[in-house]
Amino acid sequence: MAFNILHNIKSKLAEENNINNFPGVDISNNSILTYNFIINNLRLLHLNCINPILQSFPDIKITSAYRCKELNNLLGGVENSQHVYGYAIDIVSPNYPTSLLWNWCYQNLPLYNQLIWEYPERGNFTGAEGLKHSWLHISYIEDNNIKKSSFSSLRKDLHEMYASELTTQKGNFTHGINLADENLL
């Protein structure tokens, strides 16, 4: 299944809070955030990351893609969130663990900016509404795809298990991982 623009901007939370989550709504705060800029970034993200993932995992679901600043703030996103620019997307699969999605992306995608295995301790997506679960965050930024591979967790013991000369921890993130190991959970 290919995704369309609605899949990238539709947000139940935005609708419930009467938030306009249409690309370009934040142009008065930042002149770069035009409709065309955001849509082009989403197009590149899909072309380089999401479409290849779909070929191996046709059941993936978008849980968050573009977010206007107001929605991003409501969700507790960081000020400079890649979602605000259309650079990032969060995905899940009802049939595959997020660790498998992360490992596939790490091994098969030639370009990405960030690849984050988010909160694996929450378990995998089941499709049940309102349950907290793990997800995969992936971003693509034209001419800036540094392939930063990370995981985020509130569990200190997981960060300690991933500690090595190649990794660095900052807050809830450990950067530089090369395997999403579900067996550590």
Side-chain angles (χ1 to χ4, degrees), residues 22-38 66 68-69 84:
F22 198 78
V25 71
D26 291 317
I27 196 166
S28 61
N29 297 325
N30 184 337
S31 61
I32 198 170
L33 295 176
T34 65
Y35 173 85
N36 288 336
F37 175 80
I38 293 164
Y66 168 72
C68 68
K69 287 185 175 279
V84 171

Side-chain angles (χ1 to χ4, degrees), residues 6-53:
L6 190 58
H7 292 111
N8 289 272
I9 65 173
K10 186 169 176 55
S11 165
K12 185 176 179 182
L13 187 61
E15 291 171 3
E16 290 170 350
N17 289 276
N18 294 319
I19 296 173
N20 178 359
N21 195 46
F22 198 78
V25 71
D26 291 317
I27 196 166
S28 61
N29 297 325
N30 184 337
S31 61
I32 198 170
L33 295 176
T34 65
Y35 173 85
N36 288 336
F37 175 80
I38 293 164
I39 295 301
N40 186 57
N41 291 337
L42 288 168
R43 183 186 62 78
L44 291 171
L45 174 60
H46 279 265
L47 180 68
N48 292 285
C49 299
I50 301 305
N51 290 351
I53 296 168

Side-chain angles (χ1 to χ4, degrees), residues 21-161:
N21 195 46
F22 198 78
V25 71
D26 291 317
I27 196 166
S28 61
N29 297 325
N30 184 337
S31 61
I32 198 170
L33 295 176
T34 65
Y35 173 85
N36 288 336
F37 175 80
I38 293 164
I39 295 301
N40 186 57
N41 291 337
L42 288 168
R43 183 186 62 78
L44 291 171
L45 174 60
H46 279 265
L47 180 68
N48 292 285
C49 299
I50 301 305
N51 290 351
I53 296 168
L54 275 170
Q55 290 176 5
S56 291
F57 303 95
D59 67 336
I60 64 168
K61 306 220 178 297
I62 296 173
T63 58
S64 184
Y66 168 72
R67 299 178 196 154
C68 68
K69 287 185 175 279
E70 186 178 2
L71 178 59
N72 189 61
N73 291 340
L74 184 63
L75 286 165
V78 295
E79 176 68 27
N80 61 344
S81 172
Q82 293 180 328
H83 290 279
V84 171
Y85 298 88
Y87 293 140
I89 198 164
D90 298 337
I91 60 172
V92 294
S93 166
N95 296 309
Y96 299 98
T98 52
S99 59
L100 183 67
L101 290 172
W102 191 97
N103 290 326
W104 186 93
C105 291
Y106 183 82
Q107 295 167 0
N108 293 286
L109 292 179
L111 292 173
Y112 57 84
N113 179 271
Q114 288 182 339
L115 177 62
I116 308 173
W117 185 27
E118 301 267 12
Y119 302 98
E121 67 270 19
R122 293 182 179 171
N124 293 308
F125 178 75
T126 63
E129 190 89 18
L131 291 180
K132 292 190 176 193
H133 52 78
S134 178
W135 69 92
L136 182 79
H137 168 101
I138 189 160
S139 65
Y140 181 92
I141 302 174
E142 190 170 31
D143 300 324
N144 186 21
N145 289 294
I146 57 175
K147 295 184 85 167
K148 189 175 198 176
S149 54
S150 312
F151 83 94
S152 62
S153 176
L154 297 175
R155 284 182 43 190
K156 185 178 179 183
D157 64 317
L158 285 178
H159 293 284
E160 290 169 355
M161 286 185 251

Side-chain angles (χ1 to χ4, degrees), residues 102 106 148-151 164 166-168 174-179:
W102 191 97
Y106 183 82
K148 189 175 198 176
S149 54
S150 312
F151 83 94
S164 78
L166 302 175
T167 62
T168 57
T174 293
H175 305 293
I177 70 168
N178 60 13
L179 175 69

